Amino acid sequence: MKKDRQLILALDVLSQERALELAEGLAGYFDAIKIGYPLILAAGLGIVGKVSRLAPVIADLKVADIPNTNRLICEQVLDAGAGGLIAQAFVGRDSLEACVKAARDRDADLYVVTEMSHPGALDFMAPLAERMAALAVEVDASGVVAPATRPERIRAIRSVIGRRVIISPGVGAQGGSARDALQAGADYLIVGRSVIEARDPHAAASALLQSLSP
Amino acid sequence: MKKDRQLILALDVLSQERALELAEGLAGYFDAIKIGYPLILAAGLGIVGKVSRLAPVIADLKVADIPNTNRLICEQVLDAGAGGLIAQAFVGRDSLEACVKAARDRDADLYVVTEMSHPGALDFMAPLAERMAALAVEVDASGVVAPATRPERIRAIRSVIGRRVIISPGVGAQGGSARDALQAGADYLIVGRSVIEARDPHAAASALLQSLSP
C-alpha cells in the first residue's frame, strides 16, 4: 500500500450496489478500502474483486480460528482480490503464522489486531496489547491495528513494533481526532461512517483530506 | 438442539456440491451440522439455508469484532437459516452480548469459545478460559466450545458453567477420545475429518454412533 493520502475507507454498508457506488465515487480520496464480513456475507465474496478494481482492498475479517481454518479463509479472500487482511492475534502464534504465510505467498499485507476501541476490549485484550504487538513483529506481519480513540495507546504500540505500519480506526464518528492519531504514530486512519453517512460523502472525504495536509 | 445422538458434524469442505452430498447422506447420524467461513465464502451464504433443511446448522464463525459488526454478522447468518452460532469471548462482554441478543431474538443458540485445541491457544487464551466461561454464563449464552483433546479442561469448564451445553471439537483426527470427552462432561462431540474424509463416511459415522451407545 503506497502511503499517499494516509486514509483508508471503511466500506461499512450492506448492499453491493451501495458499496460499488461509494467505492467508485470515493476511491480517489483513499489509499485503500476496508471491507468486512457484513458486506461480504450480504454481497458474496465477489464484492472483494469488484472493489479491488477501484482501490486496494483490506479484508477486515478479524480472522480468529485454528491455523488450518485461518489459512483457508485467508487464501479465499486473497485469491478473490484482497491486497491485505486483518487477523486477531489472540488465537496465538501458529494461527497468526498461517495468515502471514497466506498473505506473503500472494504479496499481500497482514495486519494484526492488538487492541480495539469498544468497551469490551478492556475485558481481556487491552492488558495483552503489547504482547500481541510483539507477536505481530515476531511473525513478521506488515503492521497492526490500533485505535485512534486512544492516541497514548498508539504511542505504546509504536514503541513495540518499530517501523511497521499502524492502521487506526475510530476517527470521526467514534470520536478520535485525526491529527492526534497521526501525531501519536498512526500511518493510516480508517474512516467509515463520518464519510459514508455524510449528506455529501465527497465533501466529507475532501474536507478530511484537506484537514490532514500540512 | 435436541440431545439425541450427541454428535455434531463439522462440514469442513469447500464446495457446495460436496457439502450437500455429505449433509444429505449423513444428517441422520448427527444432531446438528457445523459450517464455517471457508465453506460460506466458497459457496455463498445460501449454503446455510440449504443445509438447514437437512439438519440444524451451527455457524462456526468465531465472531470476534466490535458489538455492531458482531450483530450484523450474526443477524445475517441467523436470518439465512442457522439455528446456532459460535462467537469468541476474548473481544469482551459487549461484543458477546450483541451475539447473544441476535441469537435470542431468533430463538437460536449462541456458543462461546472458551478454549481451543491448537498449540497457539496456549499463548493468550488458555489462562483466561475460566474467566471467558464465566462471561458466557453472565451474558446467558446457550453453551461453550471446549476441546475434547483435553478432558481435564472440559471438567474445569463444566465446573464454571453449570448445566449449560458444552460442544467439543477434537475427537478423531485430532486425537481426542469420544468416551473420555463425554465422561468429562461434554454434551456434544464435533466430528469432521474422521467421518468426511473416511473412505466410507456412512460406515465411519455409524461406527462412531455405535461406539457411544451404552
Side-chain angles (χ1 to χ4, degrees), chain A residues 7 25-26 28-30 194-195 198 200-213:
Chain A
L7 288 178
L26 297 172
Y29 299 104
F30 295 89
S194 61
V195 168
D200 182 344
H202 282 268
S206 175
L208 181 61
L209 197 54
Q210 288 257 330
S211 78
L212 301 182
S213 59

Side-chain angles (χ1 to χ4, degrees), chain A residues 14 37-38 40-42 45 62 64-67 69 72-73 76 88-95 116 118-121 123-125 128 131-132 135, chain B residues 14 37-38 40-42 45 62 64-67 69 72-73 76 88-95 116 118-121 123-125 128 131-132 135:
Chain A
L14 292 175
Y37 270 131
I40 291 174
L41 290 172
L45 186 56
K62 307 276 194 319
D65 215 310
I66 60 172
T69 305
L72 293 170
I73 291 170
Q76 283 199 65
Q88 289 281 11
F90 210 97
V91 280
R93 178 186 299 263
D94 51 0
S95 289
M116 295 170 77
H118 64 297
D123 294 345
F124 301 112
M125 296 181 72
L128 297 167
R131 279 180 59 202
M132 295 197 286
L135 180 60
Chain B
L14 292 176
Y37 270 131
I40 291 174
L41 290 172
L45 187 55
K62 307 274 194 318
D65 215 310
I66 59 172
T69 305
L72 292 170
I73 292 170
Q76 283 198 65
Q88 289 282 12
F90 66 74
V91 281
R93 177 185 299 262
D94 50 0
S95 289
M116 295 170 78
H118 63 299
D123 294 345
F124 302 111
M125 296 182 73
L128 296 167
R131 279 181 58 202
M132 295 197 285
L135 180 60

Side-chain angles (χ1 to χ4, degrees), chain B residues 78-206:
Chain B
L78 293 165
D79 290 342
L85 253 171
I86 296 176
Q88 289 282 12
F90 66 74
V91 281
R93 177 185 299 262
D94 50 0
S95 289
L96 216 46
E97 282 172 340
C99 300
V100 169
K101 181 174 187 318
R104 188 178 302 141
D105 287 350
R106 289 159 181 81
D107 267 329
D109 292 308
L110 194 281
Y111 303 98
V112 176
V113 178
T114 57
E115 215 160 333
M116 295 170 78
S117 59
H118 63 299
L122 300 174
D123 294 345
F124 302 111
M125 296 182 73
L128 296 167
E130 272 91 343
R131 279 181 58 202
M132 295 197 285
L135 180 60
V137 173
E138 287 164 31
V139 302
D140 199 17
S142 307
V144 303
V145 188
T149 43
R150 298 174 189 146
E152 77 286 2
R153 297 299 308 150
I154 294 180
R155 268 185 210 98
I157 297 296
R158 171 60 72 204
S159 74
V160 176
I161 66 163
R163 302 174 69 115
R164 282 167 216 271
V165 169
I166 297 179
I167 63 178
S168 279
V171 165
Q174 288 180 61
S177 148
R179 280 212 171 274
D180 290 355
L182 292 174
Q183 275 170 10
D187 294 291
Y188 296 92
L189 306 174
I190 300 169
V191 184
R193 280 175 283 170
S194 62
V195 168
I196 62 180
E197 292 178 8
R199 186 171 308 188
D200 182 345
H202 281 267
S206 175

Side-chain angles (χ1 to χ4, degrees), chain B residues 31-56:
Chain B
D31 299 287
I33 294 180
K34 183 170 84 70
I35 295 181
Y37 270 131
L39 176 58
I40 291 174
L41 290 172
L45 187 55
I47 189 69
V48 172
K50 288 177 184 129
V51 174
S52 74
R53 288 194 279 274
L54 304 165

Side-chain angles (χ1 to χ4, degrees), chain A residues 13-88:
Chain A
V13 294
L14 292 175
S15 89
Q16 169 160 306
E17 191 189 346
R18 182 73 180 136
L20 291 176
E21 181 190 18
L22 283 165
E24 274 163 24
L26 297 172
Y29 299 104
F30 295 89
D31 299 287
I33 294 180
K34 183 171 85 69
I35 295 181
Y37 270 131
L39 176 58
I40 291 174
L41 290 172
L45 186 56
I47 190 68
V48 172
K50 288 177 185 128
V51 174
S52 74
R53 289 194 279 276
L54 303 165
V57 167
I58 298 175
D60 182 6
L61 307 187
K62 307 276 194 319
V63 190
D65 215 310
I66 60 172
N68 191 52
T69 305
N70 274 10
R71 176 181 66 80
L72 293 170
I73 291 170
C74 293
E75 286 176 354
Q76 283 199 65
V77 77
L78 293 166
D79 289 344
L85 252 172
I86 296 176
Q88 289 281 11

